[in-house]
Structures are given as structure tokens and as C-alpha cells.
Amino acid sequence: MTTTARAPSARVDNPLPTVSLSKSSPRHGEKVVVGWLFLCAAFSVLVTVGIVLSLIPPTIEFFNRVAPADFFSTDFWAPTNSGNPGFGVLRLIVGTLNVTLWALLIAIPAGLGAAIYLSEYAGRTSRKILKPVLEVLEGVPTVAYGFFALTFVTPILREIWPTFLPGRLGEPPGIFSAASAGLVMGVMIIPTVASISQDAMSAVPSGLRQAAYGLGSTRMQVATRVVVPAAMSGIVASFVLGVSRAIGETMIVLLAAGAAANLTMWPNDSVLTMTTFIARTSTGDIGTGTTTYYTIFAVGSVLFVMTFLMNMVSIALVRRFRETYE
Amino acid sequence: MTEPSVTHPYTPQQELPDHPVPVMQTRSLNVFYGGFHAVHDVDLAFGHHEITALIGPSGCGKSTVLRCLNRMNDLVPSARVEGEVLYHDQDVYAPSVDPIEVRRHIGMVFQKANPFPKSIYDNVAYGPRVTGMKVDSMDDHVERCLRGAALWDEVKDKLKESGYSLSGGQQQRLCIARAIATEPDVILMDEPCSALDPIATAAIEDLMLQLREQYTIVIVTHNMQQAARVSDRTAFFTARPDETTGNRTGLLVEFDKTSTIFENPSDQRTEDYISGRFG
Ligand SMILES: Nc1ncnc2c1ncn2[C@@H]1O[C@H](COP(=O)(O)OP(=O)(O)OP(=O)(O)O)[C@@H](O)[C@H]1O
Ligand SMILES: [Mg+2]
């Protein structure tokens, strides 16, 4: 018998021993754990859905009473004025954007700078000291920041305001101003931006840094051209979180930005933000079922949609610009 | 596997001089990591337009010596270097010397291919951009470097794609293209082929032989055949345990023409290692 003739028949006579590759036990414990993990994940989704659902009916009721055009395209805000009420939310949106803009002008450069320093420059000891300090700053209650803005920053701003500037910008701010609230809010957000960005930058593989150093890059070039682009998705995430905190922040603006619904982007003006309106109005004595009551929900919906859209935009930005290293 | 080839596969235009005309030299180089004495008294000379191979068992300090040549050890906080590393008769560890400038003259290719998460084009253009190198046309320069690294034909239609879209061997050649893009004088390669298949390895070895025309190359390798195939001179290191502390300190055993090291070594330890009786 030749080898070629024997080989197939040997396979038929002597099949390989069967090995079961299916589960040897049902592993119920694992199912329980996986179920629990799913519930944890589902919980946050449920809460979000719950919030949306609780916003929708009163918002619809609001639009039954006030025409959408009055809400979105008029420039008159006086929801509690019984004779001639105005519901132009634009003034609140602009007020929010005003404070947010100044806050971000502080928080993004300072936070990113702190992150680059901590991740790329700081020695072991300075990192050991700076990181916990940053984390403590993150935990300071916002009412303390608000008080700080009103009693410390505002007087200083009024004192040192560059009055030599021409026109509107040269007028020093009053007791309440977007500048004071925005500045302090920016300081409050620095730790958020810094610690999330730093985590993202520290996670960049050291092989990439070595490659850049091996090409004769300076530290600054390594940080700005290799580490920051590679960590971009985390860095943008920190900005988004910073913006969300700024838009949603209540105590600082309540205490320091005032309650006058001025349509202005000047930092030295007082503004009414959406959160200030909600907080002031819902703690006042307005009756359930009044139009003012429903206005709170309509403004809350706008706040929600704005944050949501911003998240979508930033996810798209991250997809577009990040440099993945896996 | 065949026996290490003992004849030099590449006919030099001129006979290899007995002693290298050094572009770089180390003098009594000692390296410490904290209290650990990693490398003891290394004296080496790296000849102009020559390939020098550093071989020896794992942990004997080859990478450590290599990293001293362009001050990459500065990035290891605990590392301390004593002795001299001369580049064109200038001590690269002199206080007046900028390590960044050193690395602009002495490029490096790492064991694991580490392209940036950028496009193929931007990977190559990175070095010239950060060093502010004057090039007439970046497109031409990138093409020249990719051709120099024998990668052009494989990537010319996808220069905008990520460096990570390439195979391991292509990534390593991209890293070589990136290293030569800054037009360094010396290229250090730390086990550049250890993660590659024989075909990619052969491509990179061919490339090294071509690059020798323009650059001085130092290569760390665990592959004896590779050292024999590509290098002009070979330095053999080993690690010797300290009698009192038991620390394994690396030292240079023998440094000579590659043909001498492989055919006629003067130290018994070299012969044992080459013939596979040790390490
Ligand atoms: N960053 C570091 N910190 C502390 N010790 C180190 C460091 N890098 C290397 N060493 C030590 O220095 C010695 C030499 O290491 P090195 O990496 O130079 O060896 P090698 O010859 O390149 O080895 P291999 O062939 O395995 O790559 C080893 O004992 C190692 O433990
Ligand atoms: Mg090594």
C-alpha cells in the first residue's frame, strides 16, 4: 500500500478524538454579574429619558400659551409682567453665552497649559504637589466661588478696569457683571479641563515621545505636535465638559452676574442667564400652572437642547481631528 | 538556518581600514541607573560611512550604550552617564551642548516601529518641519526619503493615509524614512528588525547597506547572521556579575572588524557566544 492510498482511509478509521468546544457549565454567576452591569449602564440612560420626559409636557403647555415666534424671535423679556409679558428667550441665551465665553477664554488656555505642564514638564515632586491642589479646587462648592466673585473679584475689577479703553469697553462694570462671573467660572473650570486633558496626554504611549525626541524635537514640539494631537479626543472631551459646566453653572451667575436681561456680549454689563432665571423664578412664589411657571420648563428645554447639540458637534469634531494611535 | 556568513557580502569600494575613521567615539563610558552600574568603561569608535553592530546577551547594556550616543538616556530620570561621548571630537555631554541639537545630527530608529498617528506624508515631514529645515519642495523631499527607505512604490498612492495603516515592516521602513528626512549624520538602530519577518528584514538590511553610502550607522542586533551580513565592525558586549553586589554590569569584550570577530575572535567569550555556546 502506498502512502497516498493509506492516508485517506486512515482518517476514516481513526477520526480525531472529538473535543467539545461548547460551554462546560452554564455559568449562572456570570449571567447575574452581566445583568447587573447592564442595569448600571441602563440606569443613566433611564435617568436621561426621565428628564426629557418630564420636560416635554410642561414645555408643550408653554407653547400652547405662547407662540414659538414670541419665544424664539422677539427681543423682549418680561415673563412676570402681567399686563404686557415678553418671552424672548434670546436675551437669556445671549446672557449665558456672554458669561460662558469669558469663562472659556480663561479656562481653556489655562487648563490646557496646566495639563501640558503637568504631563510633559513637571518633575515628580511638583506634580505630587500640583495635582492634589488642582483636585481640591475642583471640589470647592460653587456657592463659595460665587461669593468670591461678588465680594473679591468684582471690587478689584471695578478698581483696575482699563478705563482708558475707548467707548463702551472703557466703562467699569457695576456690582453685577458678566466679566466677574465669567472670570471666576473660568477659574472654577480650569481643574476640570486640566485634569482630564492631562490624563489623556499621560496616556499617550512613550514610544511616540521617544520617536519625536529622536528626531530632534524640543519638549515644546513634542508636547504640541505629537502629544496634544494624539490626546486630542480626551482634550476636546475636557473642553466639552468645561463648556457644559459653564452653561449649566448657576450659583456664580446668580450671585455675580445680576438679573437684568440685557442683550449684550460686553463683559462689563450685567446679564441674566438661563440658569439664573430658572433658579430665581423657581425659588420665588409663582403659582403652579401660571405661564411664568411653564416658562421655567421651556427655558430648561432650551438649555438641554443646547448642551445636547454641543455634545454632538464635539463628537463630530473629535472624529474629524483626532490622530488614533492604535 | 545557515552558519553565519563569514565573508563580507558587500564589496566595499575601498578596503576597510584597520582602524575606523571615527565620526563618533566613546571614552570610558560608564552608565548608572540610580545605584545600578549598567555599563562599565566602554571605548568604541564608529567609523565614517561604516555600519557598526553591537551584539551580546540580553541585559548587557547594548541599548544603554546606543541611547547614550544621542542622549536619549536623558529621558530616563535615574540615568547618569560618566565618561565622554565624542561626535566629531565634541563631547555631546558637555554642559554647553544642547541635546536637541545632538539628536538632530544623530537620528534613531527604535525596536518597535513607532510611527506617529499622522499620515504617512506627515510622518516623514515631521522632522524637517520641527527642525525648520529648508527644503525646496516638501513633496519632493518626502518622496526622496520614502524612496531612500525603499517604501515609495508601496505607499505613493496613499500618502494621506495613517502611518498605522501599514504593515509592521512597512511601518519600520516609514520610521527609517522619517529618521533620514532630517538628514542626520549618524543613524542609531535598536534591533530594528526584531519584530519583522525574513522578507521585511532582508528589505531593511538591503536598505542599511544602501544608507551606508551616506550615513554612519550603528545597529544593535540579536541576530548574529544579521550582524555578519550587514556590519563592517562588530562590538561584542557581555555582562559580568559584580563579586560583592551581584549586579550584572555590562562591558565591552571585543571590538574589531566583523570578519575578524566572526572568523578569528581573540577572546574566548566572543568565540563561545558566536558559536552559540553561551547566552
Ligand atoms: N530605564 C532603566 N531604568 C533602570 N534600569 C535600566 C533601564 N534600562 C535598562 N536598565 C538596566 O540596564 C541594563 C542594561 O539594559 P539594556 O536595555 O541596555 O540591555 P540590552 O543589552 O539592550 O538588552 P536587550 O538585548 O535585552 O535589549 C539591564 O540590567 C537593565 O535592567
Ligand atoms: Mg536592548
Side-chain angles (χ1 to χ4, degrees), chain B:
Chain B
M1 280 282 176
T2 51
E3 276 292 290
S5 132
V6 287
T7 52
H8 201 283
Y10 186 78
T11 325
Q13 278 129 2
Q14 287 160 297
E15 201 51 40
L16 193 64
D18 284 339
H19 295 288
V21 181
V23 171
M24 294 202 74
Q25 262 179 294
T26 65
R27 292 215 185 119
S28 318
L29 180 69
N30 282 274
V31 188
F32 304 83
Y33 290 112
F36 172 65
H37 193 175
V39 172
H40 176 74
D41 268 352
V42 171
D43 289 277
L44 277 174
F46 304 99
H48 189 54
H49 289 202
E50 288 182 13
I51 300 179
T52 306
L54 311 184
I55 62 169
S58 186
C60 67
K62 307 176 296 293
S63 300
T64 300
V65 169
L66 194 75
R67 283 199 303 263
C68 286
L69 299 181
N70 69 345
R71 295 194 53 173
M72 288 298 276
N73 267 342
D74 291 16
L75 306 178
V76 180
S78 66
R80 186 161 54 84
V81 175
E82 285 177 7
E84 287 181 324
V85 177
L86 302 179
Y87 171 69
H88 289 295
D89 287 332
Q90 225 196 125
D91 186 1
V92 305
Y93 279 95
S96 61
V97 167
D98 178 11
I100 304 224
E101 211 45 55
V102 171
R103 296 177 199 136
R104 290 180 178 182
H105 290 97
I106 308 170
M108 192 156 200
V109 175
F110 300 81
Q111 175 169 1
K112 187 169 166 288
N114 53 1
F116 296 127
K118 302 178 188 292
S119 70
I120 293 168
Y121 183 99
D122 285 341
N123 262 281
V124 180
Y126 175 91
R129 283 177 183 154
V130 301
T131 55
M133 204 171 109
K134 295 271 178 299
V135 289
D136 288 339
S137 148
M138 189 59 88
D139 290 358
D140 292 346
H141 186 67
V142 167
E143 175 174 344
R144 221 171 17 251
C145 296
L146 286 168
R147 282 190 193 282
L151 188 60
W152 175 251
D153 289 331
E154 288 154 79
V155 302
K156 61 171 183 274
D157 298 322
K158 49 176 197 173
L159 294 174
K160 292 284 162 234
E161 278 177 39
S162 163
Y164 280 79
S165 67
L166 300 175
S167 75
Q170 290 171 329
Q171 287 186 16
Q172 192 63 300
R173 276 178 286 153
L174 176 61
C175 291
I176 293 175
R178 187 176 65 181
I180 61 183
T182 54
E183 295 177 354
D185 199 10
V186 181
I187 302 178
L188 311 176
M189 299 184 171
D190 195 348
E191 302 184 42
C193 304
S194 64
L196 304 183
D197 72 285
I199 293 171
T201 302
I204 288 181
E205 287 179 6
D206 274 353
L207 182 59
M208 282 192 265
L209 293 173
Q210 286 167 32
L211 292 175
R212 180 175 60 176
E213 303 285 320
Q214 292 175 58
Y215 306 97
T216 298
I217 297 176
V218 185
I219 173 180
V220 171
T221 178
H222 277 290
N223 180 329
M224 230 57 73
Q225 287 94 325
Q226 182 169 65
R229 278 193 300 263
V230 301
S231 73
D232 299 291
R233 293 177 210 274
T234 298
F236 171 66
F237 291 77
T238 193
R240 180 186 55 192
D242 185 283
E243 296 88 10
T244 48
T245 62
N247 280 344
R248 293 179 65 81
T249 299
L251 70 158
L252 176 64
V253 175
E254 194 171 350
F255 174 51
D256 215 321
K257 289 184 183 177
T258 298
S259 52
T260 312
I261 292 280
F262 279 89
E263 282 167 69
N264 190 13
S266 48
D267 195 292
Q268 187 61 40
R269 289 170 293 181
T270 314
E271 190 173 347
D272 289 350
Y273 186 76
I274 301 289
S275 56
R277 260 172 285 170
F278 170 81

